[in-house]
């Protein structure tokens, strides 16, 4: 038997309804905030990710799925969406259309990580990118949108944490100071962090190792080292959040694994998911578009991890779809009539199933029961000759004869009452 590859999952009916619900809500809410959907490829040239995400990051160092294609060119399954959206924005000169462009996209990402609960090799994200403004109001606007979205899908036991990573100007001297501090503690750090101290010291804050976390607790924090400008910017973001009624907490340890982040950075975390506690993460990346060869245009964005988000949706929410109508038929003429009648229901938007394979009435009724159909319409050859069918209410266990020509109308009437 051929099985799915480790870390890759099927999302089956029963579960997929939650996904559809969440995705539909995201589309609806994001569009009210002025975002448009963008669909980007799942593969890109390796350089796009290496250049934008940064060589010294977990993703580029060890998590990318990169293959030579048939011509030997190295292509990478996208590990995240921001780089591709930025590439598309530059390639199609989208900055010429509107001063501020706002996008969202929904789809799979691929990272070669150790699979565990909440961590997969193919996982899904909803991504948001806003390009063309450095207004701190837009940072707050996107966090408001995220927070409103989470409330709407009833994911409430989460916390929005924010921090500022400063601009490149404040980061360089801070980086030196952090390296000085960390070098002295190097012996206590994990092997990865010993290396990070030299390549990307900020990332030591992100390490999941307990000892590294203790060490970084005492380390100098970026927030204490940002310039007056960045500080003012961070104050403005917070003022907006407060005025808009979005609750948040400052987490001075919050850094992003990717190189391109500047100024505001944020995460939505929960204590309901064990180790994999980040549900969404993002921030501002003012240098990215220029780094990728575009004009000097600021941007910000975030990504929601859908697997983690969906596991937080309250279980009592029954999204499973049972048919409103099940049509049981006996005899071949009745079966054709069942097919026609099913179309009549379906074409007016009523979820309808029919019995297959010439099964007995008893077995069709059992099937209707298993599908949890609300009504069964029974068409027998005899009733059909009289132009009638039987409508059975499965919960009430009551049935009545109704004229075939009136059945859709009758079902619709009952739909209004219940
Ligand atoms: P983590 O610290 O958990 O590895 P990250 O910093 O690598 O997260 P981002 O690149 O910021 O994550 O991605 C945004 C979101 O995507 C995360 O907050 C998480 O919800 C989700 N995510 C990231 N990697 C995975 C994965 N391997 N499996 C499932 N969800 C993931
Ligand atoms: Mg990661």
């Amino acid at each position: 038997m051929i099985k799915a590859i480790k870390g890759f999952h099927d999302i089956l009916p029963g579960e997929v309804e939650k996904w559809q619900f969440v995705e539909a809500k995201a589309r609806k809410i994001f569009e009210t905030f002025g975002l448009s959907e963008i669909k980007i490829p799942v593969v890109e040239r390796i350089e796009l990710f290496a250049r934008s995400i940064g060589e010294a990051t977990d993703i580029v160092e060890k998590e990318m799925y990169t293959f030579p294609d048939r011509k030997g060119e190295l292509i990478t399954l996208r590990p995240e969406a921001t780089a591709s959206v930025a590439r598309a924005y530059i390639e199609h000169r989208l900055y010429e259309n509107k001063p501020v462009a706002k996008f969202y996209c929904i789809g799979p990402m691929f990272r070669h990580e150790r699979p565990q609960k909440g961590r997969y090799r193919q996982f899904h994200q909803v991504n948001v990118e806003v390009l063309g403004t450095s207004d701190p109001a837009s940072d707050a606007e996107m966090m408001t949108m995220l927070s409103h979205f989470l409330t709407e899908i009833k994911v409430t036991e989460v916390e929005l944490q924010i921090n500022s990573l400063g601009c490149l100007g404040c980061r360089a001297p801070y980086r030196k100071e952090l390296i000085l501090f960390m070098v002295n503690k190097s012996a206590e750090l994990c092997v990865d962090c010993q290396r990070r101290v030299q390549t990307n010291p900020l990332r030591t804050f992100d390490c999941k190792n307990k000892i590294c976390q203790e060490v970084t607790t005492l380390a100098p924090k970026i927030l204490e080292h940002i310039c007056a400008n960045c500080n003012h910017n961070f104050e403005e973001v917070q003022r907006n959040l407060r005025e808009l009624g979005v609750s948040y907490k400052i987490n001075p340890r919050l850094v992003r694994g990717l190189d391109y982040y500047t100024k505001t950075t944020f995460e939505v975390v929960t204590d309901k998911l064990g180790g994999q506690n980040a549900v969404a993460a993002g921030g501002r990346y003012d240098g990215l578009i220029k780094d990728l060869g575009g004009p000097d245009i600021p941007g910000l964005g975030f990504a929601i991890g859908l697997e983690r988000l969906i596991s937080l949706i309250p279980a009592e929410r029954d999204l499973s779809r049972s048919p409103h109508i099940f049509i049981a038929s006996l005899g071949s003429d009745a079966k054709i009539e069942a097919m026609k009648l099913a179309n009549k229901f379906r074409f007016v938007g009523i979820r309808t199933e029919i019995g297959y394979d010439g099964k007995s009435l008893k077995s069709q009724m059992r099937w209707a029961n298993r599908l949890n159909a609300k009504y069964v319409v029974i068409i027998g050859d005899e009733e059909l000759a009289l132009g009638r069918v039987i409508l059975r209410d499965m919960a009430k266990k009551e049935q009545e004869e109704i004229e075939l020509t009136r059945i859709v109308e009758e079902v619709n009437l009952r739909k209004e009452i219940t």
Side-chain angles (χ1 to χ4, degrees), residues 58-59 63 111 113 119 208 308:
D58 276 350
I59 293 182
E63 295 174 358
R111 296 184 195 175
E113 302 197 69
R119 195 172 288 286
K208 308 249 175 341
R308 294 185 199 174

Side-chain angles (χ1 to χ4, degrees), residues 318-380:
D318 181 15
L319 298 164
S320 62
R321 303 231 179 88
S322 37
H324 194 67
I325 303 285
F326 183 95
I327 306 176
S329 60
L330 282 174
S332 69
D333 288 349
K335 176 73 177 295
I336 292 285
E337 212 48 56
M339 292 287 284
K340 288 191 197 161
L341 185 56
N343 276 354
K344 282 193 189 144
F345 283 123
R346 289 165 176 168
F347 293 180
V348 296
I350 297 175
R351 190 169 161 100
T352 307
E353 295 267 14
I354 60 164
Y356 297 114
D357 297 322
K359 291 272 164 54
S360 69
L361 184 59
K362 202 170 153 195
S363 113
Q364 290 184 69
M365 292 307 282
R366 231 180 311 166
W367 186 229
N369 224 346
R370 272 187 56 187
L371 292 175
N372 201 19
K374 187 150 174 48
Y375 295 101
V376 176
V377 174
I378 304 165
I379 311 180

